[in-house]
Every structure is written in structure tokens, then in C-alpha cells.
Amino acid sequence: MKAEITPQEYEAFKTFLQDACGILLGDNKQYLVKSRLRRILEENNLNSLGELLDRLKRVGRSGLRELVIDAMTTNETLWFRDNHPFRILQDKLLPEFAERNSLQPLRIWSAACSTGQEPYSVGMVVDEFRRNRPGKLRDVKITATDISKSVLEVARRGEYEMIAIGRGLSPERQKQFFTPSANGGWQIKPQIKAMVEFKELNLLERYMLGKFDIIMCRNVLIYFSADLKKDILTRLHGALNPGGYLILGASESLNGLPDLYEMVQCHPGIIYRKK
């Protein structure tokens, strides 16, 4: 990017990004935009953010638009991030659903799953629960979604470099659930990979995923405006089975919607049950 971003270009890009995927860029994030879009501009012979916006207007819903959204929404993630949700899953939610003896599979949705660490972490907890309490938990299906094609490709492969493996994964779980791959990485084992189905999904668009018993939508709502956040939480409510649970990020809360959810204190940690 040869030219500096002008205030007008930045405001126009903020509007584009919010309309496209709901992300609300804060003020003075020009450095972030430049660093994430530099390669896209170079590969398309564009000299400024203004030229990129003009190109996006002309080509509409194109591969270029997807590349821009992908670059701006790709974030790093961790195994067993924040820990509490996975402890709650292991100690409270899985035992509760196991006691129901339902003939239907337990369905869990990991929204904004990035490169797959969250849904695979969920799969590991499920596998550990089954080994500790054999025969108690029936079929479990994990659906994982993200807006980014590139992170979903990584997630579907289930192969990670050592630097990614080391972020939140204990040596015991690494040994239990991964095998060394030919190129020096680590491949998640088939019994965990088989639990998870990855799908592309924009949280602002209509959900066609069916109903879930547990939805994990963590560390993503902080990027949306208050109105979009309320809309997403309302639609997540519609995607839950009666009595299903919503798990948000450590710094996120419902901020209202008392008619839809009730708070459940888990000491430590908070989750929300569908009313």
C-alpha cells in the first residue's frame, strides 16, 4: 500500500466491513487495516485503500470481497481457551445430558471456530467423558462454523504446527489426541476429527443448521455493534433446543434479553439457559 489511508477512506472501509460481516472497527485502527490488506493490494496492483473500495463496488460479491473479509476476520485462537467453559462442559453439561438418556444425538455448535481449536477441544472433553463414564453418553455431533474459508481449510485438515499445538494444549492431551505428521506437524486423531463437521457461515445471515443443545459463541460478539449483538443473540436463542445452553466469552454478557435466557452460575463461570 503506497498511500496513507485518508480519514474518508477509513470511514468508508469501516462501513463496508460492518455491512459485510458485522465487525465494527474502532477508531485509529489504520495500522491494522494496512498490515492485513497489504498483500491483497499488492497482488491486485492497487495503490490505496480507496482503489480497493472502488474495485469492490464494481465487482460486487466476488473473490476479492471474500479475501478482504477473510483477512480482516482471521484471528489466532487457543486450545481450551479460558478453561472454565470446558470444565463446565465436563462437570455439568455432559453429565446432565447423559442422564436424560435421549435417543437423539447431543448437538453442539462452535460458532466462529477459527482454525478449529475450540471444536476439537470440545471433542477431546467428550472423548474423556466417555472413557471415564462408558455407556453414559450417546452420539455427539459437533458443528463448527466460521466466515473465513482459509481458517476452515486449516480446521478441516486438523494438522497443526508445534507452535500452535503449544498454545493451551497439555503434553498429556497432545500425546492422547495427536500423532506426528510427515511434515513435522501434529495431526489430530480420527476419533476426534470424526465428531466435527465444519461449515462456512456468516453470523449475520440466516442459520440453516438445525437445533442445538449447546452453543458456544465466544470472543466474537465483542466485535459487533449493540444492535447486531442483540440480533445474533436472538437468533442463537432460536437455534437452541428447549432448555439448551449458550456459552459466551469471558468478557461477554447478554446485556438484557431476560425473556430469552436465564443466567446459570457455575462457580466459576456463567452460562445461559434458554427459557
Short mmCIF file of all heavy atoms in Angstrom, two decimals, residues 16 40 44 46 51-68:
data_model
loop_
_atom_site.label_atom_id
_atom_site.label_comp_id
_atom_site.label_asym_id
_atom_site.label_seq_id
_atom_site.Cartn_x
_atom_site.Cartn_y
_atom_site.Cartn_z
N PHE A 16 -18.03 -0.54 4.94
CA PHE A 16 -18.02 -1.77 4.13
C PHE A 16 -17.92 -3.00 5.02
O PHE A 16 -18.66 -3.97 4.86
CB PHE A 16 -16.85 -1.74 3.14
CG PHE A 16 -16.48 -3.11 2.63
CD1 PHE A 16 -17.22 -3.71 1.63
CD2 PHE A 16 -15.39 -3.80 3.17
CE1 PHE A 16 -16.88 -4.99 1.17
CE2 PHE A 16 -15.05 -5.07 2.72
CZ PHE A 16 -15.81 -5.66 1.72
N ILE A 40 -3.05 -8.18 -0.28
CA ILE A 40 -4.16 -8.17 -1.24
C ILE A 40 -4.00 -7.01 -2.22
O ILE A 40 -4.20 -7.17 -3.43
CB ILE A 40 -5.51 -8.07 -0.50
CG1 ILE A 40 -5.77 -9.35 0.31
CG2 ILE A 40 -6.65 -7.80 -1.47
CD1 ILE A 40 -7.01 -9.30 1.16
N ASN A 44 -3.22 -7.31 -6.39
CA ASN A 44 -4.22 -6.78 -7.32
C ASN A 44 -3.81 -5.44 -7.92
O ASN A 44 -4.64 -4.75 -8.53
CB ASN A 44 -5.57 -6.65 -6.60
CG ASN A 44 -6.23 -7.98 -6.32
OD1 ASN A 44 -6.94 -8.52 -7.16
ND2 ASN A 44 -5.97 -8.53 -5.14
N LEU A 46 -3.12 -2.56 -6.64
CA LEU A 46 -3.86 -1.42 -6.09
C LEU A 46 -2.94 -0.63 -5.18
O LEU A 46 -2.17 -1.21 -4.40
CB LEU A 46 -5.09 -1.90 -5.32
CG LEU A 46 -6.11 -2.71 -6.13
CD1 LEU A 46 -7.12 -3.38 -5.21
CD2 LEU A 46 -6.80 -1.82 -7.15
N GLU A 51 -8.65 2.78 -3.82
CA GLU A 51 -8.73 1.99 -5.05
C GLU A 51 -9.35 0.62 -4.77
O GLU A 51 -10.12 0.10 -5.60
CB GLU A 51 -7.33 1.82 -5.65
CG GLU A 51 -6.76 3.10 -6.24
CD GLU A 51 -5.42 2.86 -6.92
OE1 GLU A 51 -5.10 1.68 -7.19
OE2 GLU A 51 -4.70 3.83 -7.18
N LEU A 52 -9.02 0.05 -3.63
CA LEU A 52 -9.63 -1.24 -3.27
C LEU A 52 -11.13 -1.11 -3.11
O LEU A 52 -11.90 -1.95 -3.61
CB LEU A 52 -9.01 -1.75 -1.97
CG LEU A 52 -9.63 -3.03 -1.39
CD1 LEU A 52 -9.48 -4.20 -2.34
CD2 LEU A 52 -9.01 -3.36 -0.03
N LEU A 53 -11.59 -0.07 -2.44
CA LEU A 53 -13.02 0.14 -2.25
C LEU A 53 -13.73 0.34 -3.58
O LEU A 53 -14.84 -0.17 -3.79
CB LEU A 53 -13.27 1.32 -1.32
CG LEU A 53 -12.89 1.09 0.15
CD1 LEU A 53 -12.83 2.41 0.91
CD2 LEU A 53 -13.87 0.14 0.82
N ASP A 54 -13.10 1.08 -4.49
CA ASP A 54 -13.69 1.28 -5.83
C ASP A 54 -13.82 -0.05 -6.55
O ASP A 54 -14.84 -0.34 -7.21
CB ASP A 54 -12.84 2.24 -6.65
CG ASP A 54 -12.94 3.67 -6.16
OD1 ASP A 54 -13.92 3.99 -5.45
OD2 ASP A 54 -12.05 4.48 -6.48
N ARG A 55 -12.79 -0.90 -6.45
CA ARG A 55 -12.82 -2.21 -7.10
C ARG A 55 -13.93 -3.08 -6.49
O ARG A 55 -14.65 -3.78 -7.22
CB ARG A 55 -11.46 -2.90 -6.94
CG ARG A 55 -11.37 -4.29 -7.56
CD ARG A 55 -11.20 -4.26 -9.06
NE ARG A 55 -9.97 -3.61 -9.43
CZ ARG A 55 -8.77 -4.23 -9.49
NH1 ARG A 55 -8.69 -5.53 -9.20
NH2 ARG A 55 -7.70 -3.57 -9.88
N LEU A 56 -14.07 -3.03 -5.18
CA LEU A 56 -15.10 -3.82 -4.52
C LEU A 56 -16.50 -3.39 -4.95
O LEU A 56 -17.39 -4.22 -5.10
CB LEU A 56 -14.96 -3.70 -3.00
CG LEU A 56 -13.75 -4.41 -2.38
CD1 LEU A 56 -13.56 -3.98 -0.93
CD2 LEU A 56 -13.92 -5.92 -2.47
N LYS A 57 -16.69 -2.11 -5.15
CA LYS A 57 -18.00 -1.62 -5.61
C LYS A 57 -18.32 -2.11 -7.00
O LYS A 57 -19.47 -2.45 -7.32
CB LYS A 57 -18.03 -0.09 -5.59
CG LYS A 57 -18.04 0.52 -4.20
CD LYS A 57 -17.97 2.04 -4.29
CE LYS A 57 -17.87 2.67 -2.90
NZ LYS A 57 -17.72 4.15 -2.98
N ARG A 58 -17.30 -2.21 -7.85
CA ARG A 58 -17.54 -2.60 -9.24
C ARG A 58 -17.80 -4.09 -9.37
O ARG A 58 -18.66 -4.51 -10.14
CB ARG A 58 -16.33 -2.21 -10.11
CG ARG A 58 -16.16 -0.72 -10.29
CD ARG A 58 -15.31 -0.44 -11.54
NE ARG A 58 -14.02 -1.12 -11.51
CZ ARG A 58 -12.92 -0.61 -10.97
NH1 ARG A 58 -12.96 0.57 -10.39
NH2 ARG A 58 -11.79 -1.29 -10.99
N VAL A 59 -17.05 -4.90 -8.61
CA VAL A 59 -17.15 -6.34 -8.81
C VAL A 59 -18.19 -7.01 -7.92
O VAL A 59 -18.55 -8.16 -8.13
CB VAL A 59 -15.77 -7.02 -8.60
CG1 VAL A 59 -14.78 -6.51 -9.60
CG2 VAL A 59 -15.26 -6.78 -7.18
N GLY A 60 -18.69 -6.28 -6.90
CA GLY A 60 -19.76 -6.83 -6.05
C GLY A 60 -19.29 -8.02 -5.25
O GLY A 60 -18.18 -8.04 -4.73
N ARG A 61 -20.14 -9.06 -5.14
CA ARG A 61 -19.81 -10.25 -4.33
C ARG A 61 -18.86 -11.13 -5.13
O ARG A 61 -19.26 -12.02 -5.86
CB ARG A 61 -21.07 -11.00 -3.96
CG ARG A 61 -22.03 -10.21 -3.10
CD ARG A 61 -23.22 -11.06 -2.67
NE ARG A 61 -22.86 -12.02 -1.65
CZ ARG A 61 -22.91 -11.79 -0.34
NH1 ARG A 61 -23.30 -10.62 0.09
NH2 ARG A 61 -22.58 -12.73 0.52
N SER A 62 -17.59 -10.88 -4.96
CA SER A 62 -16.57 -11.58 -5.74
C SER A 62 -15.55 -12.23 -4.84
O SER A 62 -15.59 -12.13 -3.62
CB SER A 62 -15.87 -10.56 -6.65
OG SER A 62 -15.10 -9.67 -5.85
N GLY A 63 -14.57 -12.88 -5.48
CA GLY A 63 -13.49 -13.46 -4.73
C GLY A 63 -12.68 -12.43 -3.98
O GLY A 63 -12.17 -12.69 -2.88
N LEU A 64 -12.55 -11.22 -4.54
CA LEU A 64 -11.82 -10.15 -3.87
C LEU A 64 -12.51 -9.76 -2.57
O LEU A 64 -11.85 -9.56 -1.54
CB LEU A 64 -11.68 -8.94 -4.79
CG LEU A 64 -10.94 -7.73 -4.20
CD1 LEU A 64 -9.51 -8.11 -3.84
CD2 LEU A 64 -10.96 -6.57 -5.19
N ARG A 65 -13.82 -9.64 -2.61
CA ARG A 65 -14.58 -9.30 -1.39
C ARG A 65 -14.35 -10.35 -0.31
O ARG A 65 -14.15 -10.03 0.86
CB ARG A 65 -16.06 -9.20 -1.75
CG ARG A 65 -16.98 -8.85 -0.57
CD ARG A 65 -18.42 -8.79 -1.09
NE ARG A 65 -19.36 -8.38 -0.06
CZ ARG A 65 -19.93 -9.20 0.82
NH1 ARG A 65 -19.64 -10.49 0.79
NH2 ARG A 65 -20.78 -8.74 1.72
N GLU A 66 -14.36 -11.62 -0.72
CA GLU A 66 -14.14 -12.70 0.25
C GLU A 66 -12.74 -12.64 0.84
O GLU A 66 -12.54 -12.90 2.03
CB GLU A 66 -14.34 -14.06 -0.45
CG GLU A 66 -15.65 -14.18 -1.18
CD GLU A 66 -16.62 -15.06 -0.44
OE1 GLU A 66 -16.17 -15.95 0.27
OE2 GLU A 66 -17.83 -14.83 -0.57
N LEU A 67 -11.75 -12.30 0.01
CA LEU A 67 -10.38 -12.20 0.50
C LEU A 67 -10.24 -11.09 1.55
O LEU A 67 -9.53 -11.25 2.55
CB LEU A 67 -9.42 -11.93 -0.67
CG LEU A 67 -9.12 -13.10 -1.61
CD1 LEU A 67 -8.28 -12.63 -2.79
CD2 LEU A 67 -8.39 -14.22 -0.86
N VAL A 68 -10.89 -9.96 1.30
CA VAL A 68 -10.82 -8.83 2.23
C VAL A 68 -11.46 -9.21 3.57
O VAL A 68 -10.90 -8.98 4.65
CB VAL A 68 -11.50 -7.58 1.63
CG1 VAL A 68 -11.63 -6.48 2.68
CG2 VAL A 68 -10.70 -7.07 0.43
#
